[in-house]
Amino acid sequence: MELKTVEWKDNSVIMIDQTKLPNTLEYVTYTDYNQVAEAIRTLVVRGAPAIGVSGAFGLALSSLQSGATKKDELISYMENAKKILFETRPTAVNLVWGLNKIMDIANKANTVNEIRNNVVESAKKMAEDDIQINMSIGKHGSELISDNDTIMTHCNAGALATVGYGTALGVIRATKDSGKNIKVIATETRPIQQGSRLTAFELKHDGIDVSLIPDTAVGYTMANGLVDKIIVGADRILRTGHVYNKIGTYQVATMAKQHNIPFYVAAPLSTFDMKSNPEDVIIEQRDASEVTGIGDKKTAPDGINVINPAFDMTPPELISGIITENGIVKPPFQKSIKELFTPN
Ligand code: MRU
């Protein structure tokens, strides 16, 4: 059974509740954009492309919820919904990309009916495109992988972080489908164990050979020759090639450099932010309780200070290539990324 992370059905948004995985595969149904905003905030849905599409679906829902009869009224209702959806998570750029795309569609329509129809259809199309884009990323990326390679991945950049198929895990799926034999090492990925709860779940679900390691075993596995290549996803990529991804990615990349192991990033064009500079990017800070305990069990002294960032930045000099739906870009990234966005 293929996992579909987020879907539009009968004027409602259906999502896998990822907070319940891997123990329970449960779906939730939303008819109010505020519920979608809460789902993004609380990681019911997560992963940059998945929250981009969820934001778009949330905004499409808002157009149906509003009782507006005039275009201006509906646009202002949707602008307010956009703000609420936008404020849920600050780091992944796909969210603002999805929201802006839907607002543009709404602004271009002439009547309230046209707005409602066009934004729903566009959000649905965005979800369909996401799967196709991931399959293209997978196809390009699989050319980098040799038979019998062991690939390390960090966080979850799979079907569950997208609408389906995945970015980094899309490369792994496409490589397997091309007939090559591969193994995967997945880090458990703090905070909240996206790697063990989601990546390991997904790969096992698909019958891919996966071993789970603690984040602290990254150096050990590389130093002992257990890793041939690394592929991770991204939440935001700047025009300079600076990559923002789940906390710990920078450590994995640094360790890869130390051991001469190629380090690749897989992401759609919607993850590129061609305007911001590193100092503009907000790194989400998460609750201290994720570090001071495991489940209900307390593992740290009361009142301890905690630093718990959700993402870090990997500088371009640690990255061997970025795999996109339009091909693989290599260093120097300032030049190759610019070319990626320049029409022929
Ligand atoms: O906090 P999350 O779970 O939303 O973070 C997700 C990641 O960092 C993913 O690796 C990233 O979004 C790439 S998704 C294809």
Side-chain angles (χ1 to χ4, degrees), residues 20-41:
K20 303 268 167 61
L21 290 173
N23 300 324
T24 321
L25 180 56
E26 202 173 291
Y27 290 83
V28 281
T29 302
Y30 301 131
T31 50
D32 183 328
Y33 76 86
N34 290 293
Q35 294 172 311
V36 174
E38 188 59 12
I40 298 173
R41 196 176 300 115

Side-chain angles (χ1 to χ4, degrees), residues 10 70 90 108 130 132 193 300:
D10 302 330
K70 294 202 179 80
K108 280 187 191 130
D130 180 76
Q132 291 311 315
Q193 278 74 20

